[in-house]
Amino acid sequence: MKILVVGSGGREHALAWALAGSGDNEILSSPGNPGMASVGELAATGVGDLEGLVGLAVSRSIDLGVVGPEAPLVDGLADMLAKRGIPCFGPRQAAARLEGSKWFAKDVMNAAGVPTARGGIFSDARSAIEFMEGSPEKFVIKADGLAAGKGVFLPESSLEAEAVLEGLFGGSLGESGASAVVEERLIGPEVSILAVCSGTECVILPPSRDHKRVGDGDTGPNTGGMGAVCPPPGLDADFRGLAKQLIIKPVLQELARRNIDYRGVLYAGLMLTGDGPKVLEFNVRFGDPETQVVLPMLRGDLAGLLMAAARGEKLPDLEVREGYCSGVVLASEGYPGSYRKGYPVSGIDSVKDAIVFQAGTRLEDGELVTSGGRVLCIAATGDVLEESLARVYGEVEKISFEGSFCRSDIGLTV
Ligand code: AMP
Ligand code: GLY
């Protein structure tokens, strides 16, 4: 089948790679990146040009759209493709509110009896401060709307909490911060669950763990993710079953009760608390860099699975390989703050024992150069975690660009 992959990051490269390797599929990526050109064709339409993407899908007789980022889903790309009879793996606008509004997600979880932090929604600072009962260090403040990873705050003092709330309500994040969810701060290791959903049915992909802080030992500012492992070491063998019964199924059933038919991936960010797993957030898309380590663990017809979900059909199960996959992000010096672009990237061709997913790269006069903060994600499997990590770090050594850095403890911290 002909598949349109929308997006241009490491996650989309992993999707294009896995879909190209599963059955007889032709991949068209838009806008894609130079790495994705090696697994299919590239088109130039950007992720914000929804009409352009629909026009591309129609003119190229696309059988299935697979959408990477959340913004086009929240803006209705799946609905627009459906109107033209093109199945889309990615939920429609009504369902994408699970990511587009933290309060909508909380309301669905509360109605479905899904464990999550107790919270409230506020649009004035005074009520929000009152809710925190003088202990802001026990709460988290979140902009209700999409904030590209910049909308979660963990205040350590009342002064800080007030400044955050005044910033949000004063427009620092635009409409996204016009209301804020305040919820209890949870403690524990985090796990990401990616579930392929078709209405109330789902297939839970193997769990993974993202490393969000920029520095070793989980220090420094949060990033989009500096690396990931699948599965997280030490997790119960039946964690997928637990996540399905406790979280994903009840959410899908509650959505169905609200006449929302969820077709796409539901990403649950979980914290393993002393009282069991609790949901921190939902995303309506694959995680990045989780996807880069989860997809290499799958065997079988991924395209068939995504197509069945996009059509709302019964889902085939997918085989998961034994062992582990580890992924390490090579980033540009300065990231997640400001960084320079345009440095030549060398050594990718000499990598033999890992997969190199490209993210922040572009071609300049035929030469591969950096064009983003997270430049590459290098992923490798192994029978045990240590083997996959040794492979990845061995291969990372072969790649260089000016100012490149990575964490050296992916998979080793929680
Ligand atoms: P989110 O965008 O909601 O996933 O939040 C980003 C990060 O903030 C999460 O990965 C957690 O590390 C942290 N976080 C979010 N909600 C909570 C919470 N209720 N308690 C503790 N940490 C949280
Ligand atoms: N890795 C976190 C995310 O994709 O949201």
Side-chain angles (χ1 to χ4, degrees), residues 45 49-61 81 84 86:
T45 313
D49 180 2
L50 303 196
E51 295 285 353
L53 289 168
V54 173
L56 179 68
V58 170
S59 70
R60 299 298 301 271
S61 309
L81 287 169
R84 305 301 294 265
I86 301 172

Side-chain angles (χ1 to χ4, degrees), residues 102 117 140 142 149 152 154 183-187 190 212 222 271 280-281:
K102 303 263 187 206
V140 179
K142 300 181 174 186
V152 177
L154 288 83
E183 67 179 31
E184 283 174 337
R185 197 174 300 189
L186 304 174
I187 297 171
E190 293 185 39
K212 288 203 174 81
N222 262 331
M271 199 165 252
L280 297 178
E281 63 159 344

